[in-house]
Amino acid sequence: MRKYTITLILAALVIIEVLGAVQYFMARNGVRQEMLLKAEHDMAESQRVATIKAQVESAVRNILPNVKKAVEHPEMFQRLTAQLVVNNPNIVGAGVAFRPRYYADRGTEKGLYAPYAYDTRPEAELSSGKGKPSVNFGGLTFDYTDREWYQKPLADGNSLWTQPYVDKGGTHILMCTYVVPVAVGGKRVGVFFADVPLKDVSILSQNLNEGISRGGFITFILQIISLLIIGFIIWQAVSASRRYKEEHVDLEKEHLLEQLQKLREVNSRQTKRIQELADKVSTLQRIVDTHMQRTDEHYFG
């Protein structure tokens, strides 16, 4: 019974720890969801965002003719995309994503070619808009052909704004992307895009992430303390069990063995007594039978 009770206590403690961890991760995901909802609201409602969108759209439209001309001279993309990032503080990245194998001598093994220029300033500077742009040139390293921002403009020929998302490529800030199709000779060959950070929300995101990190560290410490407490309880339970066994179980066992031996002795004596009584009854029965036989012979004789 003691072991059963201890097991229940330990199981309850473990369940509490698991629920605490699950609650932490659920709260963390909830904060992120709230952050994204705030960004979507900002995109739809804020006049500031509307102004930035208009400025970005205008900047992209102005440079788009040069992008179309550069299709025949792809080495120009580095200058054009970098120019867009440097001259527009609301843009932190720009690039062109072409159809697979549009350039036979460029791109990845799968034929994907997407030159990309981006601002390499630290996250805090990108979020606050402070500091001068520091542009680096490279290319998209993932398969972009299954993304909606690539497929939809190529399919319908219209520009689009993506939903807010967290950039996982290094900046870790909230942003959205403006995408326009690139057509040459009436044929859509790719898309031109510009990445726009949501500065106010990104600062909120940074603060939330810092808060989450601090909360995560505190939760981690609490988890360690809880595990130590559980370990202490287990150690105390094991020690108490051993002490109980040393102090009580062995003595009770010896006492039970003594009682059992006495019962065996009593049982042996009773068995012997019963056997003696059975022998006497058998002897009496023979005497009675003999007497009855003699009586019957005398009577009939």
Side-chain angles (χ1 to χ4, degrees):
M1 186 65 183
R2 289 176 178 271
K3 291 183 179 179
Y4 180 73
T5 303
I6 293 173
T7 302
L8 287 178
I9 294 173
L10 295 178
L13 291 173
V14 171
I15 291 173
I16 291 173
E17 290 296 314
V18 172
L19 290 177
V22 171
Q23 184 179 13
Y24 164 69
F25 286 109
M26 290 179 63
R28 180 174 180 176
N29 291 332
V31 170
R32 289 181 175 176
Q33 290 297 323
E34 288 294 329
M35 182 177 63
L36 293 176
L37 289 174
K38 173 65 173 65
E40 292 176 359
H41 177 76
D42 198 9
M43 283 288 296
E45 306 279 336
S46 173
Q47 182 61 41
R48 179 192 64 79
V49 172
T51 301
I52 291 175
K53 288 172 67 176
Q55 293 174 350
V56 171
E57 291 172 3
S58 176
V60 171
R61 283 196 301 269
N62 290 336
I63 202 172
L64 186 58
N66 294 330
V67 172
K68 293 180 179 180
K69 293 178 181 179
V71 171
E72 301 297 329
H73 307 281
E75 65 277 0
M76 295 176 59
F77 288 130
Q78 179 173 353
R79 179 179 61 83
L80 290 174
T81 52
Q83 176 184 340
L84 186 64
V85 175
V86 170
N87 294 337
N88 295 273
N90 296 319
I91 297 176
V92 295
V96 191
F98 287 94
R99 291 184 181 275
R101 307 196 183 284
Y102 185 78
Y103 291 101
D105 59 340
R106 296 175 182 271
T108 65
E109 294 180 356
K110 295 182 179 180
L112 301 178
Y113 181 58
Y116 180 65
Y118 57 97
D119 196 338
T120 59
R121 282 178 295 171
E123 176 184 349
E125 293 185 8
L126 286 174
S127 300
S128 63
K130 298 179 181 179
K132 296 181 179 181
S134 176
V135 180
N136 192 12
F137 186 80
L140 300 183
T141 57
F142 58 89
D143 186 355
Y144 51 80
T145 57
D146 61 349
R147 306 299 173 90
E148 183 182 8
W149 59 263
Y150 171 81
Q151 294 178 347
K152 197 169 186 301
L154 284 180
D156 59 23
N158 298 321
S159 60
L160 65 81
W161 281 93
T162 67
Q163 291 294 322
Y165 62 93
V166 177
D167 174 38
K168 297 181 180 179
T171 60
H172 301 290
I173 64 174
L174 277 171
M175 62 172 58
C176 56
T177 300
Y178 180 59
V179 188
V180 296
V182 177
V184 178
K187 181 179 180 181
R188 301 184 193 109
V189 298
V191 297
F192 181 63
F193 58 92
D195 294 332
V196 181
L198 301 177
K199 293 185 176 64
D200 294 342
V201 182
S202 297
I203 294 173
L204 173 63
S205 170
Q206 182 180 356
N207 293 335
L208 286 175
N209 283 330
E210 291 176 355
I212 290 172
S213 298
R214 289 194 297 269
F217 177 75
I218 294 173
T219 303
F220 175 75
I221 295 298
L222 291 176
Q223 292 289 325
I224 293 297
I225 294 174
S226 300
L227 290 174
L228 291 175
I229 293 174
I230 292 175
F232 177 76
I233 292 173
I234 294 174
W235 176 72
Q236 286 291 324
V238 172
S239 299
S241 177
R242 289 178 177 174
R243 288 195 300 270
Y244 177 81
K245 183 177 180 180
E246 293 174 355
E247 296 174 2
H248 302 284
V249 175
D250 290 343
L251 294 177
E252 290 182 359
K253 184 177 179 180
E254 291 178 1
H255 178 69
L256 289 173
L257 290 175
E258 291 177 359
Q259 294 297 322
L260 181 60
Q261 182 62 31
K262 290 181 180 179
L263 288 174
R264 288 175 178 173
E265 293 175 356
V266 171
N267 184 57
S268 178
R269 289 196 297 270
Q270 291 294 333
T271 301
K272 184 177 181 181
R273 180 61 178 167
I274 290 171
Q275 185 62 42
E276 291 176 353
L277 289 174
D279 292 342
K280 289 182 179 181
V281 169
S282 179
T283 302
L284 289 174
Q285 185 64 43
R286 287 196 300 273
I287 295 172
V288 170
D289 290 343
T290 303
H291 179 73
M292 290 297 294
Q293 184 178 7
R294 290 178 179 177
T295 303
D296 291 341
E297 288 176 353
H298 180 74
Y299 178 78
F300 286 104

